[in-house]
Amino acid sequence: MKRLTYLIAVLLMPLGGLTAQTAATDSVDVLDYDIALDLSQGTPFHGEATLTAQLLRGCDSISLDLIGSADSLWVNGTRIGTPDLRAIPTAGIAAGDTFTVRVCYHGSGYVEERGFGGFHLDNNLHYNLGVGFNATPHVLGRAIMPCRDNFTDKATYTLRIRAKAGWTAECSGLLQSRDTAADNTEHSVWRIGLPVCTYLVGISQAAWHRIADTVAGYPVTYGYTSQNSNTVRRVFEQLDSVVPMYERCFGPYRWGRIGYIATTYGSMEHVNNIALAHQAMESMSEMGQSTIAHELGHAWFGNLVTCADEGDMWINEGGASFCSEVAMEAVSGRAASDAYYQTNLEAVIRATHVTDNGYRSLSGMAHDYTYGSTTYDKGWMVWHSLRGYLGEELFYASLRRLMDSKAFGNIDAYQLRDSLSLYSGVDLTDFFDFHVFSPGFVDYRVDMDNNDDTPHRPRITLRQQSVATDATVRSNRVPVTIFSRSGQQHKQWIAFSGSDTALNMDLPFDDPAFCVLDRDMELSDAATLAVIDATRAGQTTHRDCHLRITLAAAMPEGTSVAVEHHWGHPWDIDTVTGVLRTANRYWIIRGPQQLPEGSTGHLHYVRDGYENSSFPYLDRGFYSRVATLDSVAVLYRQGPGHPWVALSRVHSPNTNDGYFTVGGLRLGEYTLAVVDTNLLHIAAIEPADAGALLFPNPVQAGTQPVVEAPFDEPFTLSVFSADGRKLWSQSGCQSGVRIEKTLPAGTYLVQIENKCVSLHPKRVGHTGCRCRCSRL
């Protein structure tokens, strides 16, 4: 089911006296339903249901669920005086015996108060949607037939439908016959020969137009009422690529026929009879195509292997959402599907904890949030990350085996964990403990230190921090990619236990420049990534990283620059005097050399409570009042071990939704923070200042200022008086060096020199004057 896709209107109907009655799930197992429905008069409709069932334990009575009224009741051919479905007598039937229950009933149609699930009797179309978001239980097979309405009682079905005069039926199953009576009513028979839950049985009638086709060898039927036939054909063209991809990944399609019908409201994965919101039936939009792919994905995730109960709905809905990514890959390639996934990841980390009223574990989901974003979208992330964690070949092989061994059955998260561990040979206990059984996310970061003696073996440091949970990932497996100065790349998966590790990584080249974690977006970590082709000047916008970069000039051929947007707390910032609160997200810009002088960056922000943004809740809890923005600044540091410095408070276009501007954009780390401007000076860095940084500036008495240089090579650092006398000098300095000379109050000039670069003196003093620096 696609959650709230194409919401049009909410139809509110009171429950009245309609209730759901469900006995203990282990008392009886319904094996087959034979349902005759007379829909020819619209409402009320009349039905006769014959259930073949097996008693699982000795008991005096069983119950069936129905939204409607039972008119008469028979058990093993004997009529029961009072047709009470809450207490159907089974005395005299032994455990293990098979028996029949026949119910004649009528109903008037029912739609849950949310306006989604139930049996819709619209003017030009009657159809059911088998799940109710607000219903208890969520399954709504009981809206069209007396049944055992849950996620575990699976049966086969024969559906005998009498449609309104001039209308025809489209239902789940394979069509057995279709005839028209003298009164112009249609009589059709459908058979679902494989066991499915009641909520997956779809029934509809309308003045249908039909297109019959074949996809990957399977007959396909598209039923619609108002769309153009050419449009409908075009909308479903992608199934020619999607169905074979699904079968390669998940195993054979088991249901014999693929069917879609256009509905007034909502999409739902009924077997052979997928309900599709009518907008999707006539749109080539990404939303429409993803809905088509999502609902078809349920043929494996939900219809074939079903969650054991609603608390593990992520198995169904997260799996089907993952299918929409697989479909994107089949149609448009892996780069497009990676981008599609990353957009989902960004939205989940930014907003799902708000819309679902807190960070939630996937398994054991509360009833009110069964169909929330955590289930659908974080569930998608976990399936995606399992593929990366196991490796694509092993993941899909294990998944195909799962679909085969658990076909037409049920599974919970623990059984899923143990099955995939068995099939893959990889213990997934730690993976499930964090990603499935705990709330929150993990944010990894990687840093690299080169070794001049063995340049092909740089030192790699990996660290993790948890976001919105106290749990940590105990067994980590992460991909690290090293970029060389000459444009080569080397990727390696690194396994480690605990919160961090360090190791030397062997490379096929000896000029490593920088490293990136999860270059190919294979994890569900709390970070988004963009790798920029820096060989062309100009502006690029990185939506999922909340950053816009303008390169002032083209960089050498083969140069890439990586932008990481992390949703964790900035590292090592808590000790900075004057920082009152951070945005709990930060950027890292990496590259083989400094960005061209005059390059700029624009870091996106959104005021807390401003929901009209295209990124609602982006900075929730960071700043909420207009006046607060006056104290928000961009903080920068060159990297680990270097101090944070405040760079800019220049923002545009407004206080609700805009960008902070960083002139002289450099490689390194950036974050946003609310600062006490009396304690933390804002450095005067302008677009032309792509050279060195000296901070704090001005210097307070007793403080030793730090010098950051835009290169890695050693340099000579000198301090001059205002009249040009050299007062102090030190050679062999590295970026981040402190000026150790104690100086009286005054104004001084600082100069950096090495064999390749000389930087003009930079003024530093107590005057608070604007300091300029340019490259010679």
Side-chain angles (χ1 to χ4, degrees), residues 763-774:
R763 244 176 232 282
V764 57
H766 291 276
T767 59
C769 60
R770 176 163 294 184
C771 306
R772 299 297 302 272
C773 177
S774 60

Side-chain angles (χ1 to χ4, degrees), residues 209-321:
H209 302 290
R210 295 186 185 88
I211 295 176
D213 204 346
T214 301
V215 171
Y218 299 104
V220 181
T221 304
Y222 309 121
Y224 58 99
T225 57
S226 60
Q227 290 78 13
N228 178 279
S229 61
N230 290 330
T231 300
V232 173
R233 289 182 185 277
R234 186 175 69 255
V235 163
F236 288 98
E237 283 178 350
Q238 296 185 358
L239 290 185
D240 288 326
S241 300
V242 172
V243 174
M245 183 71 154
Y246 280 1
E247 293 200 297
R248 287 194 297 273
C249 295
F250 314 131
Y253 180 78
R254 309 292 184 107
W255 307 102
R257 176 179 72 91
I258 298 171
Y260 288 85
I261 59 167
T263 59
T264 307
Y265 177 86
S267 299
M268 177 70 204
E269 65 268 21
H270 306 126
V271 170
N272 310 119
N273 194 48
I274 294 170
L276 194 66
H278 68 86
Q279 294 94 333
M281 191 71 88
E282 57 191 15
S283 171
M284 290 297 295
S285 69
E286 183 179 280
M287 174 66 79
Q289 291 297 308
S290 72
T291 302
I292 290 170
H294 176 105
E295 303 305 346
L296 182 60
H298 276 301
W300 290 266
F301 294 87
N303 299 7
L304 182 61
V305 178
T306 312
C307 60
D309 59 46
E310 64 182 37
D312 274 321
M313 186 55 64
W314 73 275
I315 296 175
N316 292 19
E317 297 297 350
S321 296

Side-chain angles (χ1 to χ4, degrees), residues 63 135 220 314 329 418 425 450 523 593 649 703 715 722 753 776:
S63 70
V220 181
W314 73 275
E329 180 183 354
D418 295 343
N450 286 326
L523 304 179
Q593 63 188 69
R649 282 170 36 208
T703 301
F715 56 85
E753 290 182 296
L776 289 176

Side-chain angles (χ1 to χ4, degrees), residues 81-306:
T82 302
D84 185 357
L85 299 188
R86 297 171 297 180
I88 301 171
T90 55
I93 302 174
D97 284 356
T98 300
F99 63 103
T100 61
V101 176
R102 182 160 68 97
V103 183
C104 293
Y105 63 100
H106 68 273
S108 300
Y110 162 73
V111 179
E112 61 159 335
E113 64 178 17
R114 183 79 167 264
F116 184 88
F119 192 24
H120 296 251
L121 300 176
D122 298 344
N123 289 335
N124 299 313
L125 170 63
H126 298 168
Y127 63 99
N128 74 303
L129 296 173
V131 160
F133 292 121
N134 285 3
T136 304
H138 288 297
V139 287
L140 281 174
R142 61 189 184 275
I144 55 173
M145 59 185 172
C147 61
R148 297 286 296 175
D149 214 10
N150 55 55
F151 289 105
T152 57
D153 199 332
K154 298 189 174 186
T156 54
Y157 302 77
T158 298
L159 306 175
R160 309 175 192 276
I161 310 299
R162 183 188 182 195
K164 287 180 65 173
W167 286 22
T168 61
E170 285 295 324
C171 300
S172 290
L174 303 181
L175 181 63
Q176 307 296 299
S177 64
R178 193 191 296 271
D179 302 295
T180 302
D183 61 356
N184 203 31
T185 60
E186 182 205 70
H187 296 246
S188 61
V189 179
W190 309 77
R191 179 64 181 167
I192 308 174
L194 298 172
V196 299
C197 303
T198 54
Y199 78 95
L200 294 173
V201 177
I203 292 174
S204 71
Q205 65 167 356
W208 290 116
H209 302 290
R210 295 186 185 88
I211 295 176
D213 204 346
T214 301
V215 171
Y218 299 104
V220 181
T221 304
Y222 309 121
Y224 58 99
T225 57
S226 60
Q227 290 78 13
N228 178 279
S229 61
N230 290 330
T231 300
V232 173
R233 289 182 185 277
R234 186 175 69 255
V235 163
F236 288 98
E237 283 178 350
Q238 296 185 358
L239 290 185
D240 288 326
S241 300
V242 172
V243 174
M245 183 71 154
Y246 280 1
E247 293 200 297
R248 287 194 297 273
C249 295
F250 314 131
Y253 180 78
R254 309 292 184 107
W255 307 102
R257 176 179 72 91
I258 298 171
Y260 288 85
I261 59 167
T263 59
T264 307
Y265 177 86
S267 299
M268 177 70 204
E269 65 268 21
H270 306 126
V271 170
N272 310 119
N273 194 48
I274 294 170
L276 194 66
H278 68 86
Q279 294 94 333
M281 191 71 88
E282 57 191 15
S283 171
M284 290 297 295
S285 69
E286 183 179 280
M287 174 66 79
Q289 291 297 308
S290 72
T291 302
I292 290 170
H294 176 105
E295 303 305 346
L296 182 60
H298 276 301
W300 290 266
F301 294 87
N303 299 7
L304 182 61
V305 178
T306 312

Side-chain angles (χ1 to χ4, degrees), residues 3-52:
R3 185 188 72 258
L4 294 181
T5 301
Y6 297 117
L7 178 62
I8 302 172
V10 177
L11 173 63
L12 298 177
M13 292 182 63
L15 279 175
L18 304 178
T19 60
Q21 300 292 335
T22 303
T25 58
D26 61 352
S27 60
V28 64
D29 177 20
V30 179
L31 306 175
D32 183 79
Y33 293 85
D34 192 314
I35 308 293
L37 275 180
D38 185 351
L39 304 177
S40 61
Q41 302 305 310
T43 182
F45 63 87
H46 295 269
E48 180 177 321
T50 301
L51 287 68
T52 302

